[in-house]
Amino acid sequence: MPHLTRAAPSLASTELDLGFGIPGFAHPLVAPAEWAELTRPGTPLKWVVLNVGNGVAGSAGPAASGGPGARPDPHCLEAAGRLRNAGVRVLGHVDTTYGARSFGELVSDAHRYLDWYQVDGFYLDRCPTERAALPEVRRTVATLRALREGAHIVLGHGTHPYPGYAETGDQLVTFSGPWSDYRWSQVAEWTADYPADLFCHFVHGMPRGHLDEALRIARWQGASTIYFTDRMERAGGLGASDPWEVMPGYWDEIVSRIGPGVSE
């Protein structure tokens, strides 16, 4: 379904304090440089997703993707601890599988993340978008907030959901996909009623030369949390990969563009 553009850009859409939300790097043993880079002073980082089960977020497969794992992982505990000591929120990756997983399974994942990694909140990946699924998502979010006071909840829809979800999560991922789609994307009209801090955009396959254009799109559409990467998604077979596993080749450049004291 096509989405309407805003009637006019708001102040927030042109003067945003942009920051990163990290969808989930590979395991710290596989991507040690990535995890170490996140604690560099001055990095405009809002939160990082910890996905212990397979180290990545957003798999399109039918089964649950990742999660807290079967037992505590000392390498992930160390990486999460360094981030939290640096003042960065760590969110446990909980895969809702578009509403197919049971309430009990989701809460069990959350308990293990809290017990083993002391996370600051949760990223509900592959979150449903339909109005009919909203009551169950609200039930899940309310339970997660009861488990941890002040939990930060991000709903990983990947597209614009039914507007009622805006009153449920602390943040909504309203775009997650390739640059070829993002550059022509349009924002849902109802988003103009909410602050930019509510919305997140994740874009993969974005060439370095389009960084300015991508930042303008995020500002115009009113999304203050972003993650752009030149890594490509490859699905199926031995060449399958997740674009969020490693940092983009232009990480230093984008950090310098949106870091403290930097504006367009």
Side-chain angles (χ1 to χ4, degrees), residues 10 14 31 34 36 52 78 113 117 125 130 136 152 163 165 172 177 189 216 218 235 237 242 247 261:
S10 65
T14 55
E34 278 77 3
V52 181
E78 181 182 2
Y113 271 119
Y117 305 106
D125 197 12
E130 303 85 3
E136 187 63 17
H152 189 78
Y165 285 92
L172 279 60
E189 191 174 49
R216 283 195 296 270
D242 188 291
M247 280 181 169

Side-chain angles (χ1 to χ4, degrees), residues 191-206:
T191 64
D193 296 330
Y194 295 91
D197 285 345
L198 183 68
F199 302 109
C200 314
H201 289 174
F202 298 152
V203 184
H204 60 76
M206 194 196 77

Side-chain angles (χ1 to χ4, degrees), residues 106-127:
L106 302 181
V107 173
S108 176
D109 279 1
H111 271 294
R112 284 183 285 167
Y113 271 119
L114 289 169
D115 291 344
W116 297 344
Y117 305 106
Q118 294 82 52
V119 296
D120 304 291
F122 304 95
Y123 180 88
L124 301 189
D125 197 12
R126 299 197 287 181
C127 187

